[in-house]
Amino acid sequence: MPYQADILVVGCGNILFKDDGFGPAVIKAFHYYLENGSINREDISGEYQDIFTDDMIKALNEVFDNADLSEDKDVEFIDAGTGSTHFIFSLPDENWKKVIVVDVVEYNAEPGTMKLFSPYDMPKGKYENAHTWPVEEPLHDLVDMGIEVVIVGCKPGEIPMPDVAMGLSKPVENAVPEAVEMILKEIY
């Protein structure tokens, strides 16, 4: 299995369906920052140009710049998309100590509201709808194996499936820096 880090941060979703691209956008923010030491407009690849607004880039750089990243941690950031997520969770590695899932979660809140969930307090039946497969069972299995599992969830505003629409709604766009901050607290 290629994912042998102590901590996995797994972004789930599809950037083609507006807010469903939240998880991949958060993972991409980590990739851009960790590769370059900052997030710059010219480093953003084509498919993410509509997602990373100038305001989001500024807010993300502030979050990363204010974080203490000095402690060396064995972390892997994975854009799992939609279907591959099930395989990642179903084939754990003995090195895993913690899995942080980043995704949109339907729950009673305003769009863009962030919340930490455990696999056991996920809204029943709500977490399987966006990706058409139930994620609770493989996450429960990971917990049963002694792996800490945390879900960094964002209430979506717009998921237009089956219609394609790029970019994030404003409330979800504004939540990306907050998600990064929550993930950094979970790692460090």
Side-chain angles (χ1 to χ4, degrees):
M1 186 73 191
Y3 307 115
Q4 298 178 338
D6 291 342
I7 302 170
L8 295 184
V9 183
V10 182
C12 305
N14 188 333
I15 65 170
L16 297 177
F17 301 120
K18 215 153 173 65
D19 291 347
D20 195 38
F22 171 78
V26 171
I27 297 302
K28 205 59 142 166
F30 275 97
H31 285 169
Y32 288 139
Y33 189 85
L34 295 173
E35 288 171 12
N36 303 308
S38 67
I39 301 173
N40 302 298
R41 167 70 50 210
E42 58 272 5
D43 297 327
I44 308 234
S45 57
E47 66 272 17
Y48 284 91
Q49 288 289 326
D50 292 335
I51 294 174
F52 282 81
T53 65
D54 291 337
D55 288 342
M56 184 199 297
I57 292 169
K58 180 180 178 190
L60 285 166
N61 279 320
E62 287 176 11
V63 168
F64 281 117
D65 290 345
N66 290 324
D68 180 7
L69 307 176
S70 61
E71 188 178 344
D72 190 27
K73 295 283 188 166
D74 185 18
V75 183
E76 191 159 353
F77 297 91
I78 303 161
D79 176 358
T82 55
S84 64
T85 310
H86 181 75
F87 297 109
I88 292 169
F89 298 151
S90 299
L91 300 168
D93 186 87
E94 61 188 24
N95 294 330
W96 296 3
K97 293 176 179 47
K98 186 172 200 170
V99 174
I100 303 168
V101 180
V102 187
D103 201 357
V104 291
V105 176
E106 280 292 346
Y107 67 104
N108 189 19
E110 292 294 317
T113 303
M114 296 296 306
K115 183 176 178 179
L116 286 177
F117 293 91
S118 86
Y120 296 103
D121 63 14
M122 292 297 298
K124 295 290 183 207
K126 297 290 185 183
Y127 196 46
E128 62 189 59
N129 293 340
H131 310 299
T132 66
W133 55 269
V135 73
E136 290 95 349
E137 186 176 333
L139 293 179
H140 291 174
D141 292 345
L142 292 177
V143 171
D144 292 344
M145 295 172 60
I147 299 168
E148 183 181 357
V149 177
V150 176
I151 297 132
V152 176
C154 178
K155 168 70 175 191
E158 302 174 47
I159 300 178
M161 284 190 280
D163 298 326
V164 172
M166 300 287 286
L168 301 173
S169 67
K170 193 65 174 168
V172 173
E173 172 191 320
N174 292 340
V176 172
E178 183 180 353
V180 167
E181 198 166 21
M182 291 170 77
I183 292 164
L184 289 170
K185 286 179 184 174
E186 289 295 322
I187 295 170
Y188 295 96

